[in-house]
Amino acid sequence: MPFSLDRLRRCTVAVDLGAARTRVHIKQSGLVVDEPSAVAVNTYSGALIAVGTAAERMAGRTPEHIRVVRPVTGGMVVDIEMAQRMLRALVGEKVRRAWRRRPSLRAAVCVPHNADPLARRAAVETLAGVGARRVELVDAPTAAGVGCGLPVEQPEATMILVCGATTTQVAVLSLGAIVAATTVPMGGDTIHHALVQHLRNHHELMLPRHGVRPLHQALSGAVAPGDGPTEVHGRDVVTGRARTILIDPADVRAAVQAPMTGLLDSIRGVLHRCPPDLVADLAGSGMTLTGGMALLPGLDQRLHENTGMAVHIADDPATCAVRGLAAMTDGAVRPFGSAAAHARSAGAAGTVDAADVAGTADAEKQTAEAG
């Protein structure tokens, strides 16, 4: 989706609404929010009990009248009201008061490259609920590419994988725009569910929420087939008692084969849709992994073995998207050659005025009544 670098330089706030974590960067203040995207709510009164890390710790441990809500899925806001309440609580009252004194506050937010108009509107309404008067929408692969230092504005191919909690976005960028991209429903949560289901089906063991972490090291190719098994603790499905079992690393790798195959097929599909000249560029530069799941042991090695391309993991991959947005708002990114004029002329397509959202809804209502 086109966006304007000139308009982005006027933004004060950069927001990355992720399924796992929410990050907020403010000019001259740096990264002020880096918390889990979770809210604990009292279902009787509707009151907020906790947000962020405190709410994340409550997951799986709450009584019936307390519910842990995740208002963001796959980089898209699915519960606008809860997302607004979460952001208000995370940024704090002091920052919100400062925002209210700025009638022309502008914000930039990441959205998936394939976000539909409803998803984009949800992102706009979420930021409008915390004081933004104008919202810039930036594709997550582009922001992540800028954040990890890739020359996305140059006339050469850069391939990036934004590995999130629920989805992975595969994109090839050139001249500041996406040439070919796709989204795979495979992320950290997918790996988690695949391992949990494998242990339930083959070992009749239910794992606690964080019980899968000891198995992550077994996913690494550095673990030889002859190495010792991994010990995991959980609850027996039949008896309900606590039980400890030993899992062979080969079984762990086999359990995640299906989601990994889907990711590899998507990478090949993106390469097939790229012009030959860009594919030739990628033969030397390879691909870069960003996002929280980029640090999954063995992921880079498996991608290299199956694609033959060099695989690089970005420095601090989890914060690449918000750092890229911050770099754009600071004016650190310059378009290549004539792309500057194109970016200025196409900027309105990627900008949404939060004040126009309500007006659009009223116009649609009047049209329906007239019909």
Side-chain angles (χ1 to χ4, degrees):
M1 182 179 61
F3 55 88
S4 169
L5 290 174
D6 290 336
R7 294 182 184 275
L8 282 172
R9 294 189 191 101
R10 303 173 192 171
C11 294
T12 306
V13 184
V15 181
D16 177 20
L17 289 172
R21 300 186 74 85
T22 293
R23 299 177 175 90
V24 179
H25 181 281
I26 300 179
K27 274 187 179 180
Q28 300 178 351
S29 298
L31 191 65
V32 297
V33 173
D34 186 358
E35 294 280 343
S37 302
V39 182
V41 184
N42 188 320
T43 57
Y44 294 159
S45 63
L48 283 185
I49 297 176
V51 295
T53 303
E56 179 78 6
R57 293 180 58 190
M58 296 181 183
R61 298 180 172 88
T62 60
E64 292 184 359
H65 69 283
I66 297 177
R67 185 166 59 102
V68 176
V69 180
R70 299 184 183 277
V72 184
T73 299
M76 295 182 286
V77 178
V78 294
D79 190 332
I80 297 175
E81 180 184 357
M82 284 299 173
Q84 290 176 344
R85 298 175 70 181
M86 178 184 72
L87 271 179
R88 291 192 199 105
L90 289 178
V91 299
E93 180 62 28
K94 182 179 180 180
V95 176
R96 292 204 308 275
R97 284 200 302 268
W99 288 357
R100 283 196 291 267
R101 291 194 295 267
R102 295 180 60 119
S104 60
L105 177 70
R106 294 170 178 257
V109 61
C110 287
V111 293
H113 74 92
N114 61 342
D116 56 32
L118 289 178
R120 294 170 183 166
R121 180 167 178 165
V124 171
E125 290 186 359
T126 300
L127 270 296
V130 293
R133 298 297 183 268
R134 201 166 185 86
V135 179
E136 296 284 342
L137 305 179
V138 180
D139 293 324
T142 304
V146 172
C148 62
L150 294 178
V152 298
E153 75 281 1
Q154 298 297 318
E156 60 184 71
T158 54
M159 189 172 193
I160 188 166
L161 273 67
V162 184
C163 308
T166 57
T167 60
T168 296
Q169 299 179 62
V170 184
V172 174
L173 309 172
S174 180
L175 286 172
I178 294 177
V179 178
T182 188
T183 299
V184 192
M186 198 282 285
D189 291 348
T190 311
I191 300 295
H192 174 91
H193 294 319
L195 293 174
V196 168
Q197 196 64 32
H198 174 79
L199 291 176
R200 181 183 177 91
N201 294 340
H202 294 83
H203 301 278
E204 296 183 341
L205 189 74
M206 289 289 292
L207 292 184
R209 182 171 181 82
H210 300 293
V212 178
R213 290 182 178 175
L215 297 176
H216 285 176
Q217 188 58 39
L219 294 172
S220 174
V223 181
D227 288 351
T230 303
E231 184 180 87
V232 293
H233 310 276
R235 175 171 62 87
D236 191 284
V237 174
V238 179
T239 65
R241 298 186 192 178
R243 183 159 65 96
T244 300
I245 62 172
L246 299 176
I247 302 296
D248 189 88
D251 293 338
V252 176
R253 291 191 288 272
V256 300
Q257 184 61 36
M260 288 299 301
T261 300
L263 175 60
L264 295 171
D265 291 342
S266 298
I267 293 174
R268 297 188 188 100
V270 169
L271 292 175
H272 277 302
R273 298 200 301 272
C274 288
D277 290 343
L278 294 184
V279 176
D281 292 341
L282 296 175
S285 60
M287 67 181 76
T288 303
L289 306 184
T290 66
M293 202 193 70
L295 298 176
L296 185 71
L299 177 61
D300 55 339
Q301 181 178 351
R302 181 167 294 194
L303 292 177
H304 172 68
E305 291 173 352
N306 287 272
T307 63
M309 300 173 61
V311 181
H312 314 282
I313 300 177
D315 296 333
D316 193 8
T319 62
C320 282
V322 72
R323 284 190 283 119
L325 279 181
M328 293 179 185
T329 59
D330 290 338
V333 180
R334 299 290 179 181
F336 179 82
S338 60
H342 173 72
R344 285 193 294 269
S345 62
T351 305
V352 181
D353 194 334
D356 292 340
V357 172
T360 303
D362 293 340
E364 293 173 352
K365 182 178 179 181
Q366 293 175 3
T367 303
E369 292 174 351

